[in-house]
Amino acid sequence: MSGEVIDSQMALADPRPDSGAAALSRASVATLTAAERERVLAKSALFNPPEAGLPDGRRELVGMDRAELAAELAAIGEPAFRVKQIWHWIYHQGVTDFARMSSIAKPLQARLAEKFVIGRPEAAVVQTSVDETRKFLFRFRDGQEAETVYIPDPVEDRGAVCISSQVGCTLSCRFCHTGTQTLVRNLGSAEIVGQFMAARDSYGEWPSPKGETPRLLSTIVLMGMGEPLYNYVNVAKAMKIVMDNEGIGLSRRRITLSTSGVVPMMDRCGEELGVNLAVSLHAVRDDLRDELVPLNRKYPISEVLAACRRYPGASNARRITFEYIMLKGVNDTEADARELVRLIAGLPAKVNLIPFNPWPGSKFEPSSRSAVDRFARIVNDAGFASPIRTPRGQDILAACGQLRTESRRERPAG
Ligand code: SAH
Ligand code: SF4
């Protein structure tokens, strides 16, 4: 398996001069990808959230990177060392009240409180499932809403926080409840980090542990509402904050970003964030994937897999996860399983088989347990781990693909 991966990496790094035609086509692929990336980023920026802060002018500190925080503090005449201090209070101690920052003198605490706020999204609804999964409906300052789910490990004292990256989604995967809600807007970095911080509040999980000490809320999966790679700038900023060692300090190994295959942004995500990658594959033929995951018409299976082969940091220790939703009579035959294995041959990968979670009005049915087991066996026999995901929080519509809110986009006037 790894042999082929190393071969393809060597091919990329091959120092021999290219033949003219090959060099040209390689250069144009790179240019095209860069141009496409710019186009994706520009389009995404149109859906950016309003400025984080309160109507009275107080600025939101959560979600600022260190440089922005330094600039804000400099503007009120505070030296650079305050950044470290305040960062520690916000992201390590989890305080939301400047008066609790005991290493800061009272007059400065008061000045900070006049200018700034350390906010959290409002938990409008919190529901806990019979299996202990907890779903939060978070309401942001402009009234838009998104859902976050905490999924405790059934055996160990840890769990994953499933975070949303957008309100709604531009993509309309046929099996996904979020996909029936049009994209309202991107979530800002404050709102993305804020989901994790508010979930931690709910379990009293502050201060952050040092290093790798496990916690209940110990991993992040970007698998909630929205396509994270269509909101890359805000997602990346938020993940860098979460990974910062002087604050929450989550290792990139504890973060998994799931994408439906936004090829031009996959490279950038790997290079800049190095988080684990999950790819929603769901079909092994382009004609079917075009139907199930309409983004496939733009970035077909071969391009998605090529981007996976290039993904920096993927190794046998850090495999790419292929998510494959099992839909009865649609994509669950033994032939599909064999084709899947052929497609991902040579990749450090595992396959997560997801039983379809129904939602009100959905048209698909979950595959039978025996079909799932047969599929899993073929994938597993080919050397790929093929865990079958246990649906969690189904009773509160908190399972994969069941998230949706009532938030709507205002129609533009005229
Ligand atoms: N937009 C990203 C991340 C959010 S979706 C993506 O598509 O990858 C997270 C995962 O839930 C994806 O693998 C998605 O395909 C899966 N999913 C969507 N609807 C589902 C459903 N009804 N049942 C089970 N899984 C579903
Ligand atoms: Fe969007 Fe992912 Fe749902 Fe597809 S599966 S509609 S990309 S959230």
Side-chain angles (χ1 to χ4, degrees):
M1 228 200 299
S2 56
E4 278 193 48
V5 172
I6 290 166
D7 285 351
S8 70
Q9 281 168 352
M10 282 169 64
L12 285 176
D14 191 343
R16 284 169 300 177
D18 279 305
S19 75
L24 194 66
S25 79
R26 201 168 301 179
S28 53
V29 167
T31 317
L32 270 182
T33 311
E36 181 74 351
R37 189 179 309 143
E38 290 314 309
R39 203 192 56 78
V40 169
L41 288 168
K43 190 165 176 205
S44 170
L46 300 176
F47 289 94
N48 268 344
E51 186 90 3
L54 294 180
D56 63 11
R58 279 184 291 162
R59 311 257 296 135
E60 176 60 76
L61 291 187
V62 172
M64 284 186 189
D65 61 26
R66 280 172 181 263
E68 289 168 336
L69 187 53
E72 292 289 338
L73 293 172
I76 61 160
E78 284 304 313
F81 74 83
R82 292 279 181 222
V83 173
K84 196 177 164 76
Q85 228 175 10
I86 292 175
W87 192 275
H88 177 87
W89 282 111
I90 298 177
Y91 297 112
H92 182 78
Q93 300 288 349
V95 308
T96 51
D97 182 357
F98 292 101
R100 285 193 48 211
M101 298 186 173
S102 54
S103 59
I104 292 177
K106 287 256 175 312
L108 178 55
Q109 287 178 0
R111 220 143 53 83
L112 290 170
E114 264 169 38
K115 300 270 180 197
F116 305 114
V117 59
I118 303 166
R120 294 285 193 269
E122 176 203 345
V125 183
V126 181
Q127 291 167 281
T128 306
S129 154
V130 287
D131 69 15
E132 298 294 316
T133 297
R134 186 173 293 180
K135 182 169 85 167
F136 304 85
L137 174 71
F138 284 124
R139 187 169 299 148
F140 303 106
R141 290 204 178 103
D142 63 352
Q144 304 292 5
E145 295 172 334
E147 293 185 317
T148 305
V149 182
Y150 171 62
I151 310 141
D153 188 294
V155 225
E156 290 181 55
D157 276 349
R158 58 190 168 84
V161 186
C162 178
I163 287 182
S164 291
S165 54
Q166 298 182 308
V167 178
C169 191
T170 38
L171 305 168
S172 27
C173 303
R174 299 282 174 267
F175 44 79
C176 174
H177 203 197
T178 309
T180 65
Q181 182 183 1
T182 50
L183 177 67
V184 177
R185 66 167 175 82
N186 288 331
L187 293 177
S189 58
E191 295 165 332
I192 297 169
V193 180
Q195 293 172 62
F196 182 74
M197 296 176 87
R200 265 210 174 160
D201 290 346
S202 143
Y203 287 86
E205 285 232 317
W206 300 104
S208 282
K210 278 279 178 214
E212 286 288 290
T213 320
R215 270 288 159 104
L216 283 179
L217 281 62
S218 53
T219 53
I220 287 182
V221 291
L222 283 155
M223 294 186 185
M225 299 169 62
E227 168 50 60
L229 294 188
Y230 272 157
N231 182 20
Y232 181 75
V233 173
N234 291 309
V235 166
K237 196 169 168 191
M239 290 306 107
K240 286 181 191 169
I241 291 172
V242 162
M243 290 191 276
D244 188 297
N245 266 332
E246 289 177 10
I248 295 169
L250 225 59
S251 138
R252 65 198 161 89
R253 288 162 210 282
R254 293 184 174 273
I255 300 174
T256 301
L257 181 147
S258 175
T259 180
S260 54
V262 184
V263 168
M265 301 311 298
M266 287 165 68
D267 300 85
R268 169 110 181 247
C269 171
E271 281 155 22
E272 196 174 326
L273 302 178
V275 295
N276 301 320
L277 182 70
V279 174
S280 295
L281 194 62
H282 307 317
V284 292
R285 296 188 326 268
D286 280 322
D287 59 342
L288 179 60
R289 195 164 188 268
D290 281 351
E291 285 306 310
L292 296 178
V293 183
L295 186 64
N296 196 67
R297 296 176 200 160
K298 196 174 261 167
Y299 307 119
I301 295 173
S302 59
E303 286 191 29
V304 172
L305 292 177
C308 290
R309 287 180 200 278
R310 297 192 296 265
Y311 193 75
S315 67
N316 278 337
R318 296 188 63 209
R319 290 161 206 257
I320 293 176
T321 304
F322 287 98
E323 294 162 283
Y324 196 97
I325 182 169
M326 298 294 292
L327 304 169
K328 186 180 210 161
V330 175
N331 64 354
D332 60 352
T333 66
E334 294 185 24
D336 288 312
R338 283 191 293 271
E339 179 59 9
L340 173 59
V341 162
R342 196 188 66 77
L343 285 174
I344 63 174
L347 266 165
K350 68 174 178 189
V351 176
N352 211 330
L353 297 175
I354 316 177
F356 169 66
N357 294 310
W359 36 270
S362 58
K363 301 217 162 44
F364 296 103
E365 281 177 66
S367 302
S368 67
R369 184 67 205 200
S370 61
V372 179
D373 286 342
R374 270 199 304 275
F375 199 104
R377 200 165 318 117
I378 292 170
V379 176
N380 202 55
D381 286 351
F384 297 100
S386 54
I388 300 167
R389 193 180 284 172
T390 312
R392 301 288 300 275
Q394 268 183 324
D395 55 329
I396 54 167
L397 280 182
C400 297
Q402 293 184 317
L403 307 183
R404 190 188 194 282
T405 63
E406 292 306 316
S407 288
R408 289 212 176 97
R409 192 156 23 130
E410 293 287 316
R411 278 187 188 282

